[in-house]
Amino acid sequence: MTGPSGDILSAIGGVPRPPTDVVVDAREVVKRFGALIVLKGVSLEVRRAEVVVVIGPSGSGKTTFIRCINHLEKVQGGRIFVNGHLIGYREDGGKLVEDREANIARQRQEIGMVFQRFNLFPHMTALANIVEAPMRVRGVPVAEATEMGRALLARVGLAHKADSYPAQLSGGQQQRVAIARALAMKPALMLFDEPTSALDPEMIGEVLEVMKELAREGMTMIVVSHEMGFAREVADRVVMMDDGQIIEEGTPEHFFTSPSHERTQSFLSKIL
Amino acid sequence: MHPLSLLADSSGLQFQFDLPFFLKFVFQPTPALIGGLAITIYASIIAQAMGVVLGIFSALAGMARNRVFRTISQVYVWFFRGTPVLVQISLVYFGTPYLLGGLDLFPNHAVLGPIDLRGAVLAGTFALGVNEGAYMSEIVRAGIMSVDPGQTEAAKSLGMTYGLTMRRIVLPQALRVIIPPLGNEFNNMLKTTSLMSVIAVQELYGNALNVYSASFKPFEVFFGVALYYLLLTTIWSTIQGRIERRLGASTARVEEPRTMRRLFGLGGSGAAGGR
C-alpha cells in the first residue's frame, strides 16, 4: 500500500501556524457572472485548525466561493479576509479597488489550493512540480527545496514517483502530488475544490487518506466535496450551500441525524 | 539525334546552356557569392530571432487586460501583415532616414568583427524582423491559447506572478504548438531575404543579379542560385524534422516512455536504411 505515512506536515517543518485565530473571514460575498448572481451574500468564518466541508448541488456556488478566497474570481460585493488581510482588494476612500498583482500573488502564497482536475504541470516531473514555486517564488535553495519535496512525496506515499511525469501517474497519484505541491508553499490554509470527483472510485480512498491525515495534524482546511464519510470522520463543520447562499451549517452529526432544511434533506437523500 | 544536342547545336535557337559556366558558378563560388550566402544565413537567423521576440511581446500585449496594449498589438499586426514586405523594406531603408531629417540611421559601413553590418543589411534585416514579428504574434497567441487555463490557475494559486507563470508554465507548454509553424516561417525567411536586393544588399540573390548583368547567362545564374536556396531550405527541413521529432518524443515520453523511444529508434534507423 502506498498510502500516506503519518506526519505529513513534518515534511514542511510542522503545521504552518496561521497568525490569527480566525483564518478565513468572509463577509457577505457577492459574485455575479453578467446577469447571473452566483453568490448572494455568503458569510463564513473558519478558525485555526478547523476543517470545514462545503456541500451543495451543482450550481450552488460552492466552487465559486472557494475560488474567491484566493482571488481566482473577483467579487462584486463583500469582503474576504485571510489571516486578517483583505484578499484581492484594497480600500481606497471607502471603495474597493483591485490590488496590485504582486500583492495578490503574495497573499496566494499563504493559501494552498487543490483542483478537481489536479492541474499538475505536465512538462515537469512530480518533484519539479513540487519544488517549482518554493524555489521561484519563495527563493528556497535547490538542495533545501529538493529535500523538502522528496520528504513530501514520501509522506503522500509517492517517494518512488519523484521522477515521473504527470501523464505517467494515475489520477489518484496525480492528486496526491498536487496536494504535496500546494503544501510545499507552507500555506496557512488549504482549499480543496472537489478533489476526488474526477477520480476513478478505486483511487478516491488514497486521496482522502492524505486529506484526513492533514486534518488530523491540524491543517486549516475548506473542502468542497460530497464525501460524507470524510466529513463525518474529520470535519468540524459542514456547510450546505444552495442557490448562492449558505442555507444550513452544523456538525457532521447534525447533517446525518437531523438536517433541518428541506433542501438539505432532499440533497443528502440523493448523495448518501 | 539526341534532342538536347539539337537544341544546343542549332545556332538559331535561344537556349544555350553553358555547362562549364554553370558548374563553375555553383561549385566554385566566388568569395562574393560565399559572402552573399553568409548574409542570407545570418540575416535570416537574426530577423527570425527578432520576429520570435517581437511575436511573444505582441502576443502577450494582444492578450493583456489593458486596452492600450491590445490596441498597439492589433495595429502592429494589422499594418505589417497587411502591407508587402518589399514595401516595408524600402520604407525602413529609404523612408525612415528621410523622416528623421536625413539622419544617417544606416551608415554604409559598420563592420562588426567577421560580420559585415552594412547599413542596408541592417535596415533590411530590421524590416524583415519587424514583419516577421507580426506573423509570429499570431502563432504565439495560438500556442498560448492551446494551454489549459487550469495551468495558469494552478500557477497563480501557488503565488506565481504573471511573468513567472508565462515564462515557466505557459510558454514552455505553448512551444509544442509554436515550433512546427515557426519552422515553416524560417523556411520562408530564408527565401524572403532575397527581397533585400531591392535596397542593394549583396545577399545570395543580389549577388546572382550582379553575375547575371555581367554575363547575360540568366538560366545558368538563376538556376544556380535557386540550387543554393534549395540547399539552405533542405538543410533546414532536416534540422526542423529533428527538432519536431525530439519534441514529439518528449511529449510522447510523458505517456509511454519505453515504447516510444523504441519505436522512434526503429523508425529512425529504418528510414535511414531505406534511402
Side-chain angles (χ1 to χ4, degrees):
Chain A
M1 177 57 200
T2 52
S5 58
D7 221 4
I8 298 174
L9 292 176
S10 68
I12 55 170
V15 188
R17 192 156 170 81
T20 51
D21 194 37
V22 175
V23 181
V24 179
D25 180 8
R27 300 179 193 162
E28 292 296 319
V29 176
V30 175
K31 170 73 190 176
R32 279 190 298 267
F33 287 115
L36 183 71
I37 305 176
V38 189
L39 298 177
K40 301 172 178 172
V42 176
S43 298
L44 181 73
E45 229 184 68
V46 180
R47 308 182 82 83
R48 189 188 284 153
E50 205 179 6
V51 177
V52 175
V53 170
V54 183
I55 60 172
S58 71
S60 59
K62 52 196 192 307
T63 287
T64 306
F65 176 60
I66 69 162
R67 286 167 58 86
C68 289
I69 295 176
N70 67 353
H71 199 63
L72 284 181
E73 303 284 350
K74 293 180 194 182
V75 300
Q76 275 75 45
R79 268 136 231 237
I80 300 172
F81 297 88
V82 174
N83 298 331
H85 299 294
L86 181 59
I87 291 295
Y89 299 88
R90 59 196 160 79
E91 292 192 68
D92 196 3
K95 267 180 59 181
L96 286 189
V97 187
E98 193 165 24
D99 210 341
R100 282 177 40 231
E101 195 230 339
N103 287 342
I104 296 172
R106 201 168 308 127
Q107 292 177 329
R108 286 188 180 125
Q109 296 174 23
E110 309 299 321
I111 308 169
M113 185 155 197
V114 175
F115 299 85
Q116 182 178 353
R117 305 251 10 135
F118 332 132
N119 296 349
L120 289 180
F121 306 134
H123 57 305
M124 297 181 181
T125 63
L127 183 63
N129 263 277
I130 295 172
V131 300
E132 176 70 13
M135 282 171 56
R136 305 272 164 184
V137 177
R138 289 222 198 266
V140 177
V142 191
E144 195 183 316
T146 306
E147 189 188 340
M148 176 182 68
R150 288 195 185 277
L152 273 169
L153 276 174
R155 302 300 155 84
V156 299
L158 292 171
H160 58 300
K161 294 291 185 186
D163 299 320
S164 299
Y165 284 87
Q168 295 171 303
L169 301 174
S170 73
Q173 291 171 332
Q174 287 190 57
Q175 194 62 300
R176 284 185 278 158
V177 173
I179 293 172
R181 177 176 70 174
L183 288 173
M185 289 298 282
K186 307 183 182 181
L189 165 72
M190 284 285 284
L191 306 172
F192 293 83
D193 181 13
E194 309 205 24
T196 56
S197 32
L199 294 176
D200 291 334
E202 76 269 21
M203 294 169 183
I204 292 176
E206 62 192 60
V207 172
L208 288 180
E209 276 312 310
V210 171
M211 292 168 59
K212 284 176 196 169
E213 179 59 31
L214 280 179
R216 282 187 215 109
E217 291 178 26
M219 184 50 112
T220 312
M221 296 161 60
I222 303 179
V223 184
V224 171
S225 175
H226 294 159
E227 296 293 337
M228 291 307 285
F230 169 82
R232 172 181 262 172
E233 209 171 315
V234 296
D236 297 293
R237 216 164 7 128
V238 175
V239 168
M240 167 80 189
M241 281 185 73
D242 189 42
D243 195 26
Q245 285 166 310
I246 292 177
I247 59 168
E248 194 164 351
E249 234 184 292
T251 62
E253 277 64 38
H254 163 79
F255 276 82
F256 276 107
T257 54
S258 54
S260 48
H261 204 288
E262 174 260 321
R263 298 265 265 292
T264 313
Q265 289 163 11
S266 83
F267 176 72
L268 286 174
S269 72
K270 281 176 205 147
I271 64 161
L272 285 180
Chain B
M1 201 196 275
H2 197 274
L4 249 184
S5 61
L6 173 86
L7 285 174
D9 292 345
S10 315
S11 53
L13 284 174
Q14 295 297 305
F15 183 63
Q16 301 244 337
F17 187 69
D18 187 341
L19 189 63
F21 178 87
F22 173 76
L23 292 176
K24 190 164 182 292
F25 178 77
V26 174
F27 293 106
Q28 293 174 323
T30 60
L33 195 69
I34 298 282
L37 180 68
I39 294 179
T40 294
I41 293 172
Y42 71 69
S44 296
I45 292 173
I46 295 170
Q48 189 64 49
M50 207 175 131
V52 169
V53 173
L54 280 173
I56 290 174
F57 279 110
S58 170
L60 293 178
M63 298 168 88
R65 247 188 288 175
N66 188 320
R67 181 184 286 276
V68 177
F69 286 146
R70 283 208 310 271
T71 307
I72 291 173
S73 167
Q74 281 160 7
V75 170
Y76 167 62
V77 172
W78 173 65
F79 182 83
F80 284 95
R81 290 208 316 175
T83 56
V85 65
L86 189 59
V87 174
Q88 291 163 20
I89 291 171
S90 306
L91 182 66
V92 168
Y93 186 57
F94 300 121
T96 32
Y98 173 76
L99 181 74
L100 299 173
L103 184 71
D104 198 5
L105 271 182
F106 309 111
N108 228 341
H109 273 288
V111 178
L112 261 182
I115 299 176
D116 177 16
L117 268 185
R118 298 187 56 175
V121 180
L122 206 63
T125 307
F126 179 80
L128 287 172
V130 174
N131 175 268
E132 183 56 25
Y135 287 89
M136 284 310 300
S137 176
E138 298 294 292
I139 292 171
V140 172
R141 195 172 70 98
I144 290 174
M145 281 172 44
S146 75
V147 178
D148 175 12
Q151 293 290 307
T152 309
E153 290 188 349
K156 277 181 173 176
S157 78
L158 289 164
M160 294 172 78
T161 55
Y162 172 80
L164 204 53
T165 303
M166 276 295 155
R167 203 155 49 77
R168 297 286 305 169
I169 308 301
V170 176
L171 284 176
Q173 293 183 60
L175 224 54
R176 203 161 29 98
V177 173
I178 293 173
I179 290 284
L182 169 63
N184 296 339
E185 286 297 304
F186 187 64
N187 178 301
N188 267 330
M189 181 63 81
L190 285 167
K191 296 170 293 183
T192 310
T193 48
S194 60
L195 293 178
M196 293 199 295
S197 60
V198 79
I199 53 173
V201 172
Q202 300 296 310
E203 43 66 64
L204 215 42
Y205 174 72
N207 250 288
L209 220 47
N210 286 348
V211 179
Y212 161 65
S213 28
S215 67
F216 290 102
K217 294 187 188 302
F219 187 86
E220 290 83 343
V221 170
F222 294 125
F223 186 61
V225 83
L227 289 183
Y228 269 92
Y229 282 109
L230 203 56
L231 177 74
L232 287 181
T233 53
T234 305
I235 292 172
W236 172 245
S237 292
T238 314
I239 298 172
Q240 187 187 350
R242 261 185 215 175
I243 294 172
E244 281 175 26
R245 252 198 316 280
R246 262 244 300 274
L247 206 68
S250 78
T251 42
R253 182 191 65 204
V254 170
E255 276 128 34
E256 275 296 325
R258 283 187 196 128
T259 325
M260 291 318 281
R261 208 174 300 139
R262 203 171 55 228
L263 271 177
F264 275 117
L266 280 174
S269 62
R275 263 161 231 174

